[in-house]
Amino acid sequence: MRLLWAALVLAQWTETRFPHVLPNGGEKTKKWILETTGSGIAVFDYDNDGLPDVFFVAGDGAPSRLYRNLGGTKFADGPAFPRVGWGQGACAGDLDNDGFTDLIVTYWGEPSIYFNQRGRSFREQRLPQKGTRYNSGCALLDYDRDGDLDLFIANYLEFDFATTPPPGANPYCFYRGLPVNCGPRGLPFARNALYRNDGKGRFTDVSAASRIAEPDQNYALTPIVTDADNDGWPDIYVACDQTPSLLYLNRRDGTFSEEGLLRGVALDENGRALSGMGVTAGDYDRDGHIDIFRTNFSDERVTLYRNRGDGAYEESTAAARLGLQTRYVGWGTALLDFDNDGWLDLIQVNGHVFPESGAYRQRALAYRNESGRFRAAEAPELPHSSRGLAVADFDNDGSLEVVVNHQNEAPSIWKNKAAGNWLRVVAPIGARVRVTAGGIMRVDEVRAGGSYLSQHDTRLHFGLGKATKVERLEVRWPDGQVDTIPVAGVNREVRVANAPSLPRGGSR
Amino acid sequence: MNWTEDDEVDSADWIWCWMTLAISLLIVAQALEDGIAQFRRGEFESARKSLSTVQPSPLRDVFLAISEVNTGHCADAEPKLRVRYEVPELRRLAGSALLQCLTLLGRMEEALPLAEKLGREFPRDPDVLYQSARLHMQAFNDTVARLFEHAPASYRVNQLSGEILDVQARPAEAAQEYRKAIAKNPAAINLHYRLGRALLVTGQFDEARREFETELKRNPEDALAEFQIAQIDAAQQKPTAAEHYERALQLRPGFVEAMVALARLRPASAIELLEEAVKLAPAHESARYGLMVAYRNAGRLADAQTQKAELDRLRKPPEGEFTEFLKRLGEPSKP
């Protein structure tokens, strides 16, 4: 099957479209908030052929779709996923440690866990939940360091078709004088959930015991796992809509403490809660610490939080020359080195929640990182009402592509061509990787979950600029041990995942 | 005790009287209960009818009066509301309904002081705030109508139109009105400031800055114009931002927003600035947040935690909706 090629060729990006429109509520008007929030993407190599495949989540009306990567940014239909419902987010990882990547899809309703049947098909199992939850983003992490991937699921709010007021019913159901779907304000809060894996893909709800469920005044959308305080244990940041965002710090005893406010990532620098939608993490200023970037609603600045390295953050949006564009509602996002110059660039997709607003479809934004300051760069010009975004080098040519899930339109892939050298590192989820080349150290983490209800390719991509040699590749494994790995050259993939021959501890 | 025949007749009458009274009381109690139930369902006309048959009591009066207000019988409601307004536990409820009544009757000279008084006593009450907002909206509408009627060609009409468009988030149209106002009265102060704000919202930073500078030429003591220039410079990462914040603070020493913004640019004096800001405006969340971060950055974690606790307190949602209180009034008290 060939992709439908759009007649849009840009210097940096070429946009093409996947063949299927994935439904997500009304196109002219939306009666319920449930129609506005979907949906995400998960990039993962389900058949272990070395090419990242892509899964797009659909809203009610049609099943979600997995496309198998044939190479050269050509895709074919992959295994079918028959469930139809209000799909929201997706994340992927090897849940049962069988060497094949499994998939989690969140819904308004019980999440589906799809166990990968050796790259040929998927077996669905529902994750039991009390009541009908509005599950939003998911993320995988080994929070207890027992060697398997546990599951965090954000919960947006309490939604019920029977009790949610119709558009225009109360002051929370208007936008600039227009009656629109109600919420999130005015709708009840919900709590986030954590499920512990027994190593065989069987999950136990530990939300209360782990204290994940304690915060109860947040409209949670997208989680991202990062080691915020540099202690070697995975922490969880959650972008929240219209309420303070959350930072769950791992206390290394099976519990978390929520410290977003004190750590400086809950609010903007004026102490206001913004409408957080998407989130990404990366070392944008190359100081060795992982920073956090969050997309927000229109008329609000995006928010860049610089990690000070001591477990605290400070907002650096203005200092990094971001936040001047406030017209768009931001969703999926990534800090990615799309020009391979060694600095993490930035991309975000946009789209209004209300078709009635007259600005439903909005352009994407791209920024080139110039020594820690961002400058607007070319982005695909076609406006969409986009939601999920994920990044991968789909054709393994050393340049990163972007896939985007839109509302009421076929998903897009933005092909990119970058000069500059690069290194791709395949490491387990939760690993932190440091690459030094040309005397400059770059750092990244392998994450399952982020962007907006989505997951990027877990293979880490490092732009190296003109460097022709990798001086050092250091991996901190999920259990905290650190290894250095020899690298023969640049413009290649280094697989350090599943490397039982490598003894743990110390350099070699 | 010996009973005579007359005694027996008297006793029977007496029992009959008691039974009648008891039944009457039950009927009255039922009517009160029905009226309150109808009120809670929003059936104000039925509630008014049911409650008007019930013997006066504080509870009956207040539900009856609010039912009357909601069915357009303010004149009947007013005397009862004035009496119950003096009962401390009914003050908020009766006062809010009385304010609604006076607004509906157009008696602004009585409504405005009552709104002020209620606002002081119940500053976070949603119903009091709502009724006050309605009152001021009515007063605003009346005044605007008079301005447009008596001075349609005045620059003030354009200025006010611009300000209304600003509120409606239509900055481009607002800017047009401000420009018309400036053309009619180039010497008027505040117009260039308003125009600058409208331009700022549409992202025209350089044009906005020029308008603020023009405003400062007309009114060199305009701290707000200085502040806006500082904000633009800060957004554009210009080193001149701090000087403009400082100048704004010289012009208006208690300018909390300027203190908060300057603290971000002057980390060495951030704590001093923000402690002053919090002293001046204890409920200013931005100042509290800035101070928490400044303490944290200085390693004063206990002080940061104190500020966080204050922030948590400030951010806590206001006490339950007034209507919840209203509902509880009619419910039997719990043991």
Side-chain angles (χ1 to χ4, degrees):
Chain A
M1 179 187 57
R2 292 177 62 82
L3 288 171
L4 305 177
W5 285 83
L8 185 69
V9 179
L10 298 168
Q12 186 78 45
W13 306 97
T14 308
E15 178 170 0
T16 61
R17 307 293 287 275
F18 287 83
H20 304 100
V21 175
L22 303 176
N24 237 312
E27 193 173 356
K28 304 283 183 201
T29 183
K30 291 182 187 292
K31 192 174 180 185
W32 310 109
I33 193 168
L34 196 54
E35 299 172 70
T36 66
T37 51
S39 296
I41 302 168
V43 172
F44 65 108
D45 181 7
Y46 82 91
D47 51 3
N48 287 350
D49 66 353
L51 291 165
D53 309 298
V54 57
F55 178 86
F56 292 100
V57 184
D60 198 27
S64 302
R65 285 185 175 273
L66 174 62
Y67 293 100
R68 185 160 63 90
N69 189 345
L70 305 175
T73 61
K74 291 188 173 68
F75 293 85
D77 286 330
F81 289 77
R83 180 176 179 182
V84 174
W86 287 106
Q88 300 293 311
C91 52
D94 185 1
L95 303 176
D96 49 7
N97 290 317
D98 68 349
F100 286 87
T101 305
D102 310 300
L103 176 70
I104 291 117
V105 185
T106 64
Y107 286 85
W108 177 71
E110 289 178 344
S112 288
I113 302 175
Y114 293 101
F115 288 99
N116 191 330
Q117 306 298 292
R118 307 196 67 75
R120 292 189 293 271
S121 63
F122 288 84
R123 176 177 56 83
E124 187 195 3
Q125 186 177 309
R126 300 280 171 97
L127 185 65
Q129 290 180 333
K130 285 179 188 163
T132 305
R133 291 168 61 96
Y134 195 154
N135 301 287
S136 43
C138 61
L140 295 167
L141 69 160
D142 184 6
Y143 82 98
D144 50 3
R145 280 192 176 174
D146 65 351
D148 53 48
L149 291 171
D150 308 298
L151 171 62
F152 177 93
I153 300 184
N155 201 184
Y156 189 34
L157 46 82
E158 297 289 336
F159 177 84
D160 184 342
F161 284 107
T163 56
T164 302
N170 66 48
Y172 297 125
C173 316
F174 282 89
Y175 176 73
R176 295 187 173 171
L178 295 168
V180 294
N181 61 79
C182 301
R185 280 287 177 204
L187 298 181
F189 293 110
R191 295 168 191 258
N192 297 321
L194 182 68
Y195 298 89
R196 187 173 179 277
N197 189 350
D198 70 353
K200 295 174 180 169
R202 291 183 297 232
F203 289 92
T204 306
D205 188 342
V206 292
S207 311
S210 64
R211 300 177 59 192
I212 285 291
E214 274 184 13
D216 62 351
Q217 300 284 315
N218 310 79
Y219 296 120
L221 281 172
T222 306
I224 194 166
V225 176
T226 182
D227 181 7
D229 52 3
N230 297 314
D231 68 349
W233 289 72
D235 309 302
I236 308 166
Y237 180 78
V238 189
C240 297
D241 191 5
Q242 296 194 7
T243 49
S245 291
L246 299 165
L247 177 61
Y248 292 101
L249 288 183
N250 193 326
R251 295 168 61 89
R252 312 181 212 174
D253 60 358
T255 68
F256 291 81
S257 62
E258 198 289 300
E259 297 187 18
L261 189 60
L262 195 61
R263 301 284 176 163
V265 287
L267 311 172
D268 74 355
E269 65 181 358
N270 295 309
R272 288 176 313 175
L274 302 180
S275 298
M277 306 292 189
V279 60
T280 186
D283 180 15
Y284 83 94
D285 55 357
R286 285 202 323 209
D287 66 353
H289 307 299
I290 304 285
D291 313 297
I292 292 173
F293 173 80
R294 193 184 65 217
T295 55
N296 299 312
F297 206 77
S298 56
D299 300 322
E300 296 176 345
R301 286 196 327 195
V302 293
T303 326
L304 180 64
Y305 297 108
R306 184 180 157 273
N307 189 330
R308 291 157 43 98
D310 59 356
Y313 294 77
E314 60 192 7
E315 192 186 334
S316 57
T317 311
R321 302 276 168 93
L322 290 171
L324 297 175
Q325 165 64 273
T326 59
R327 280 184 293 162
Y328 298 152
V329 180
W331 300 90
T333 185
L335 279 160
L336 72 166
D337 189 356
F338 60 61
D339 53 9
N340 283 345
D341 70 347
W343 290 91
L344 287 179
D345 310 301
L346 180 64
I347 192 156
Q348 78 171 69
V349 291
N350 306 295
H352 215 287
V353 289
F354 307 125
E356 303 91 333
S357 67
Y360 187 45
R361 291 187 170 83
Q362 300 175 339
R363 288 188 56 188
L365 296 171
Y367 299 92
R368 200 178 299 280
N369 188 335
E370 296 178 350
S371 306
R373 290 184 173 183
F374 292 93
R375 182 186 290 275
E378 283 176 313
E381 283 189 342
L382 283 179
H384 305 281
S385 195
S386 306
R387 296 295 185 267
L389 172 152
V391 173
D393 182 0
F394 283 102
D395 50 6
N396 287 339
D397 69 347
S399 303
L400 291 171
E401 278 77 46
V402 175
V403 283
V404 187
N405 199 349
H406 310 298
Q407 291 233 312
N408 315 106
E409 284 184 272
S412 301
I413 179 167
W414 299 338
K415 178 83 180 76
N416 170 42
K417 190 68 195 168
N421 294 323
W422 52 275
L423 183 74
R424 186 163 52 239
V425 180
V426 183
I429 290 168
R432 179 176 278 198
V433 177
R434 288 189 166 89
V435 172
T436 305
I440 296 160
M441 194 274 287
R442 300 148 184 87
V443 61
D444 206 349
E445 297 167 323
V446 185
R447 301 185 193 93
S451 180
Y452 174 71
L453 314 185
S454 295
Q455 176 167 323
H456 306 302
D457 187 4
T458 54
R459 303 178 306 170
L460 299 180
H461 178 98
F462 294 91
L464 303 179
K466 291 176 181 166
T468 54
K469 187 177 135 195
V470 173
E471 286 115 45
R472 185 181 172 88
L473 169 60
E474 179 189 285
V475 180
R476 189 185 73 191
W477 303 93
D479 66 3
Q481 297 295 313
V482 178
D483 288 325
T484 54
I485 314 288
V487 180
V490 297
N491 300 336
R492 66 187 60 215
E493 178 175 296
V494 178
R495 300 185 75 88
V496 298
N498 304 319
S501 59
L502 298 175
R504 292 289 167 86
S507 303
R508 73 203 74 169
Chain B
M1 184 184 287
N2 293 320
W3 290 75
T4 65
E5 194 173 298
D6 285 347
D7 284 339
E8 284 172 8
V9 170
D10 286 349
S11 296
D13 284 349
W14 189 239
I15 290 165
W16 177 249
C17 281
W18 274 110
M19 283 177 66
T20 309
L21 182 61
I23 290 166
S24 303
L25 283 172
L26 279 172
I27 291 169
V28 166
Q30 186 61 47
L32 180 61
E33 202 174 298
D34 287 349
I36 291 172
Q38 286 159 342
F39 177 91
R40 287 165 64 178
R41 289 198 299 270
E43 299 165 1
F44 298 123
E45 186 57 41
S46 303
R48 188 176 73 86
K49 283 179 184 157
S50 300
L51 293 166
S52 59
T53 65
V54 180
Q55 201 67 3
S57 70
L59 192 61
R60 170 267 194 190
D61 282 3
V62 81
F63 276 99
L64 174 58
I66 299 175
S67 301
E68 287 169 342
V69 172
N70 281 296
T71 52
H73 297 83
C74 264
D76 296 334
E78 187 183 344
K80 290 188 277 290
L81 290 172
R82 286 197 183 279
V83 170
R84 299 307 170 198
Y85 178 67
E86 300 305 327
V87 181
E89 54 271 27
L90 296 175
R91 191 176 186 79
R92 189 165 62 161
L93 181 56
S96 176
L98 184 58
L99 182 56
Q100 184 182 355
C101 224
L102 294 171
T103 307
L104 285 171
L105 295 170
R107 285 155 57 184
M108 299 298 174
E109 68 288 351
E110 292 172 76
L112 286 164
L114 176 62
E116 200 182 328
K117 203 170 173 185
L118 285 168
R120 273 201 305 273
E121 280 188 70
F122 310 107
R124 302 179 77 157
D125 180 79
D127 285 282
V128 167
L129 292 170
Y130 170 74
Q131 294 301 345
S132 297
R134 284 197 63 182
L135 167 70
H136 288 104
M137 199 155 57
Q138 185 63 47
F140 174 81
N141 287 340
D142 293 349
T143 312
V144 171
R146 284 204 300 279
L147 173 64
F148 278 60
E149 185 183 351
H150 298 301
S154 163
Y155 82 97
R156 289 291 196 188
V157 168
N158 300 106
Q159 182 178 8
L160 191 59
S161 300
E163 289 172 14
I164 292 169
L165 289 162
D166 263 342
V167 173
Q168 293 174 343
R170 294 158 66 185
E173 294 160 84
Q176 284 179 3
E177 290 298 323
Y178 293 134
R179 286 200 168 99
K180 287 180 201 166
I182 290 167
K184 286 179 185 174
N185 188 353
I189 60 165
N190 207 29
L191 291 176
H192 288 279
Y193 175 82
R194 287 279 181 184
L195 177 56
R197 284 284 306 158
L199 294 169
L200 200 54
V201 173
T202 56
Q204 300 175 70
F205 288 2
D206 294 339
E207 295 84 346
R209 197 181 197 284
R210 277 197 292 277
E211 294 302 327
F212 294 129
E213 285 167 349
T214 309
E215 186 68 44
L216 276 170
K217 280 179 195 153
R218 279 160 181 67
N219 179 11
E221 295 188 357
D222 191 332
L224 286 175
E226 281 287 358
F227 178 76
Q228 295 296 351
I229 291 172
Q231 292 280 79
I232 292 170
D233 287 359
Q236 296 179 336
Q237 294 289 296
K238 289 183 182 167
T240 46
E243 296 159 28
H244 287 288
Y245 284 130
E246 281 166 343
R247 171 93 178 121
L249 272 171
Q250 283 165 8
L251 293 169
R252 188 187 288 184
F255 197 160
V256 172
E257 283 75 14
M259 290 178 192
V260 173
L262 183 60
R264 283 198 285 268
L265 300 176
R266 297 261 193 267
S269 48
I271 289 177
E272 188 187 345
L273 279 163
L274 292 164
E275 282 177 341
E276 176 67 11
V278 163
K279 199 159 76 181
L280 289 167
H284 198 291
E285 289 183 25
S286 186
R288 287 268 178 214
Y289 181 73
L291 186 56
M292 182 198 78
V293 171
Y295 281 145
R296 183 204 69 182
N297 291 349
R300 292 169 59 177
L301 291 183
D303 290 328
Q305 289 286 4
T306 305
Q307 292 307 316
K308 180 185 175 296
E310 271 302 305
L311 259 178
D312 288 341
R313 192 182 60 77
L314 288 171
R315 299 181 61 82
K316 202 175 160 191
E319 58 189 82
E321 290 280 320
F322 188 35
T323 43
E324 290 301 314
F325 165 74
L326 200 60
K327 286 176 190 169
R328 285 199 301 274
L329 258 184
E331 289 170 356
S333 58
K334 287 176 185 164

